[in-house]
Amino acid sequence: MFSRLVQTSSRQREIAEVVLRNGWDYMRQLLTGGKADEPRLPTPAVLRNILVELGPVYVKLGQLLSTRPDLLRPEYIETLGTLQAEVPPVPWEDVEVVIRQQLHQPLAEAFSEINPIPVAAGSIAQTHKAVLRDGRRVALKVQRPGLEQVIDQDISLIRLIANLVSQTEFGQYYDVVSLAEEFAQALRNELNFMQEAEYTDQLRRNLSTSRWFDAQKLVVPEIYWDLTTEKLLVMEWLDGVPLLLGNFQGIGYGGDVAAEKREISTVLLRAFFQQICLDGFFHADPHPGNLFYLTDGRVALLDCGMAGRLDPRSQQIILELVLAIVNLDAQRCTQLTLQLAPPAQPINRIQLEREFDRLLRQYYSMTIAQVNFSKLVYEVLQVARNNKVRIPGNLGLCAKAIANLEGIARALDPEFNIPNKIRPMMTEVFQRQLVGEAPVAALLRTALDVKNLSLQSPRQIEMLLDRVTSETLQWNFTIRELDPLRRTVDSSANRLSFSIVIGSLIMGAAIISSTAQNSQVFWVSDVLFAAASLVGLWLLVSIWRSGRLR
């Protein structure tokens, strides 16, 4: 089916040519209709080249994969994290058509000025600077024309590849069909600027006030909802440059540039700590190109189209897991990993703990300042993945965000260290979780629960004793994996019984054949031999079909 589609689709033929030209043997086998063996990825550099040659959609897919250290090894994450689509800007005439189609009013009534030269061009959209009729400067993010058709074709191909790979053990364990749907949905969300606008607005509200950092030093652009559509995003214009290219002047720090950089790195860490551990909603791609240093000394958080969410239980487990990693506690890492990601199949808990211990032991002799925290988190995820523990995708997004953040912070402040920075905040968070925002109210609720328990306990104890003395108490036990074991034992017993019956038939036929004196009885031995042959053949076929012949 796949080979026929490649022959009939120019886009798929183009993809096949790129893959074959780069020598990816596994994909060559799939494209020619071969059997789907266990997936074998090319080297990181080759995979990066393939994605770049395939175009903007696959570059975006590579960028999404770079946020999943739970699926790929660190060398792939690092290589794919540098992917950028090298695409020329769309001519202004085509961009203007898209803007006019998206606006509900004439262009001149909405904007007094639009710069036809883009300030940035990406795989999904390009950005132009404009001025509203009331004088406010804005950024127009305009979707590239004709992108939906290309993405539809590529998503169909991704799904087809996922269906083929799903025939393998790897594909079934990682549920690659669901992963393909997840990536397809992420790509479609990239095309819907209303989704990005909602994410941006929520981050702006969450970070507008904070007890963890000076909210005046971090800004998220305001969205102009009356002009924003699915293909046109209109937001506040912020003057600045990428953070690591900023011309720091030590504004507000007496000209001390080093102090300003230390403060910026601390603000970023505290802001993301709040997003992940308190808000449960975080910017999932804070790479250097999405953090700007503004002319007034503030830091802007841009491009909020990729975001992650965490439920309260996951937040608490992640917080404790980070603390366990900081304290190099292998046993606690094992417990929390299994709580966060219950294994899809039984695992060797002792082996998992032993591998965590072996990993963390490498850091025992290091000082806190020497520990690369993001690398350590990646290695913890790698150990979990090697032991068949399926890590939730949002934890991969967290790890990627932490890695980007630590890289930026260390570039600003070489002495920056995440464990030293987050320990005080983690202590305060644990205290708040223990007593709550209103300690008096929490104490009163606890007292009420104790009162209810004291009133109900005598009656419940009386019922228990009554059942024990009247012999009506029943215990229900459920033992995991017992039912598959029972079926296996039953199947083995049945096969053994059939084998005994076959042997008996053969022996009976042999006895009758050797002792028979006339042909009137001799046919009985033939019948017994035929029955034994049929039953034996059926037994061999059933064992062969079960896959347990060896």
Side-chain angles (χ1 to χ4, degrees):
M1 178 179 65
F2 197 9
S3 57
R4 288 198 303 270
L5 285 174
V6 172
Q7 294 171 359
T8 57
S9 169
S10 59
R11 174 60 175 163
Q12 289 162 347
R13 282 200 304 271
E14 176 187 350
I15 292 172
E17 290 171 0
V18 170
V19 168
L20 297 178
R21 184 165 61 248
N22 284 273
W24 189 359
D25 292 335
Y26 177 74
M27 284 303 297
R28 181 196 301 269
Q29 186 178 5
L30 284 184
L31 289 167
T32 54
K35 181 182 178 181
D37 296 324
E38 291 304 309
R40 295 184 299 275
L41 288 176
T43 63
V46 170
L47 180 59
R48 184 185 187 280
N49 291 338
I50 290 174
L51 294 174
V52 169
E53 287 191 47
L54 289 179
V57 175
Y58 283 86
V59 168
K60 181 58 66 176
L61 178 61
Q63 292 170 347
L64 292 173
L65 284 171
S66 73
T67 67
R68 297 298 299 272
D70 55 308
L71 299 178
L72 298 176
R73 297 195 298 273
E75 57 267 28
Y76 285 94
I77 298 296
E78 182 179 358
T79 301
L80 296 181
T82 62
L83 273 174
Q84 295 293 332
E86 300 177 0
V87 293
V90 178
W92 167 247
E93 294 76 14
D94 297 334
V95 172
E96 184 179 8
V97 170
V98 176
I99 296 176
R100 290 184 182 277
Q101 289 174 346
Q102 297 300 306
L103 289 176
H104 302 295
Q105 55 185 308
L107 198 61
E109 292 183 9
F111 306 101
S112 61
E113 179 185 345
I114 299 180
N115 189 344
I117 301 176
V119 296
S123 58
I124 300 295
Q126 64 186 45
T127 305
H128 293 259
K129 185 177 180 181
V131 181
L132 297 178
R133 297 296 299 177
D134 58 10
R136 290 176 295 177
R137 293 183 301 167
V138 296
L140 306 183
K141 185 174 180 180
V142 188
Q143 188 175 125
R144 298 177 72 91
L147 197 60
E148 287 182 336
Q149 292 78 8
V150 176
I151 285 186
D152 286 340
Q153 293 177 4
D154 289 343
I155 284 178
S156 298
L157 186 57
I158 290 171
R159 285 172 173 160
L160 198 53
I161 294 174
N163 286 328
L164 289 172
V165 177
S166 67
Q167 301 172 20
T168 67
E169 182 180 349
F170 173 92
Q172 292 170 4
Y173 175 76
Y174 284 103
D175 194 5
V176 294
V177 173
S178 296
L179 283 176
E181 290 300 326
E182 180 181 336
F183 289 134
Q185 186 60 44
L187 287 172
R188 293 196 184 281
N189 286 342
E190 291 278 342
L191 296 181
N192 186 354
F193 290 168
M194 293 294 288
Q195 182 79 72
E196 181 177 342
E198 290 176 4
Y199 289 164
T200 304
D201 221 27
Q202 184 169 351
L203 282 173
R204 178 181 171 84
R205 291 194 303 270
N206 292 348
L207 299 176
S208 60
T209 58
S210 175
R211 59 179 296 176
W212 299 94
F213 63 93
D214 184 358
Q216 301 299 319
K217 294 189 177 297
L218 186 68
V219 59
V220 179
E222 180 183 356
I223 300 297
Y224 296 98
W225 287 100
D226 56 329
L227 298 174
T228 295
T229 66
E230 290 187 358
K231 296 184 179 181
L232 175 65
L233 178 60
V234 182
M235 55 188 167
E236 176 185 5
W237 176 267
L238 298 171
D239 278 320
V241 295
L243 181 61
L244 298 184
L245 301 178
N247 183 19
F248 298 95
Q249 302 294 327
I251 299 175
Y253 300 91
D256 189 344
V257 174
E260 182 184 12
K261 289 183 176 181
R262 285 196 299 271
E263 178 64 19
I264 289 175
S265 62
T266 301
V267 166
L268 288 174
L269 176 66
R270 287 177 172 267
F272 274 87
F273 185 87
Q274 173 180 317
Q275 292 175 54
I276 293 172
C277 296
L278 298 180
D279 300 334
F281 179 79
F282 60 95
H283 190 300
D285 194 23
H287 65 75
N290 289 340
L291 293 170
F292 266 51
Y293 180 74
L294 306 183
T295 54
D296 57 8
R298 296 182 298 167
V299 176
L301 188 58
L302 306 177
D303 196 2
C304 306
M306 187 183 298
R309 293 186 184 275
L310 295 170
D311 59 87
R313 176 180 175 275
S314 297
Q315 284 178 275
Q316 183 162 351
I317 294 177
I318 288 174
L319 194 63
E320 294 185 34
L321 181 60
V322 170
L323 185 61
I325 293 173
V326 170
N327 293 330
L328 305 179
D329 187 343
Q331 184 178 14
R332 189 60 176 154
C333 277
T334 302
Q335 294 172 348
L336 293 169
T337 299
L338 295 179
Q339 287 180 30
L340 188 65
Q345 58 190 30
I347 66 167
N348 189 333
R349 185 187 181 113
I350 296 177
Q351 179 181 340
L352 178 61
E353 184 174 335
R354 188 183 300 120
E355 291 193 25
F356 274 138
D357 182 67
R358 185 165 53 248
L359 167 65
L360 298 177
R361 195 179 296 276
Q362 303 172 19
Y363 295 88
Y364 285 168
S365 60
M366 295 185 182
T367 64
I368 290 295
Q370 294 174 315
V371 175
N372 185 325
F373 187 69
S374 59
K375 179 175 180 289
L376 178 54
V377 172
Y378 276 177
E379 289 174 339
V380 168
L381 294 181
Q382 184 70 27
V383 169
R385 189 170 71 91
N386 291 342
N387 283 272
K388 304 299 183 182
V389 179
R390 188 181 299 170
I391 299 297
N394 275 338
L395 184 57
L397 290 176
C398 283
K400 178 64 174 178
I402 291 172
N404 283 335
L405 193 62
E406 184 174 28
I408 294 170
R410 284 186 181 271
L412 294 173
D413 177 14
E415 298 181 357
F416 181 87
N417 184 266
I418 286 183
N420 278 340
K421 295 285 187 180
I422 65 175
R423 269 178 170 158
M425 292 185 290
M426 292 175 71
T427 301
E428 186 173 346
V429 168
F430 284 133
Q431 289 176 348
R432 291 175 61 187
Q433 290 177 346
L434 182 63
V435 300
E437 296 287 348
V440 175
L443 181 61
L444 292 176
R445 284 197 302 269
T446 303
L448 183 60
D449 291 339
V450 171
K451 175 187 174 183
N452 292 334
L453 180 63
S454 64
L455 292 175
Q456 296 172 7
S457 296
R459 177 59 179 166
Q460 292 174 343
I461 293 174
E462 180 185 357
M463 293 173 60
L464 175 62
L465 292 175
D466 181 63
R467 290 188 178 184
V468 170
T469 55
S470 62
E471 299 182 356
T472 60
L473 185 65
Q474 296 181 354
W475 301 90
N476 294 323
F477 291 97
T478 301
I479 302 178
R480 293 182 59 188
E481 305 299 332
L482 182 61
D483 193 54
L485 177 62
R486 180 187 60 78
R487 289 196 299 267
T488 301
V489 172
D490 287 346
S491 177
S492 299
N494 291 337
R495 289 176 181 174
L496 180 60
S497 300
F498 274 115
S499 300
I500 294 173
V501 170
I502 293 170
S504 301
L505 291 174
I506 294 174
M507 291 178 63
I511 292 173
I512 293 173
S513 177
S514 62
T515 60
Q517 299 297 323
N518 55 64
S519 59
Q520 294 179 350
V521 183
F522 194 77
W523 65 270
V524 176
S525 64
D526 293 338
V527 171
L528 292 178
F529 271 123
S533 300
L534 290 175
V535 175
L537 180 61
W538 174 82
L539 182 60
L540 285 175
V541 170
S542 66
I543 295 174
W544 178 75
R545 292 183 61 186
S546 70
R548 296 183 175 88
L549 187 60
R550 290 180 295 180

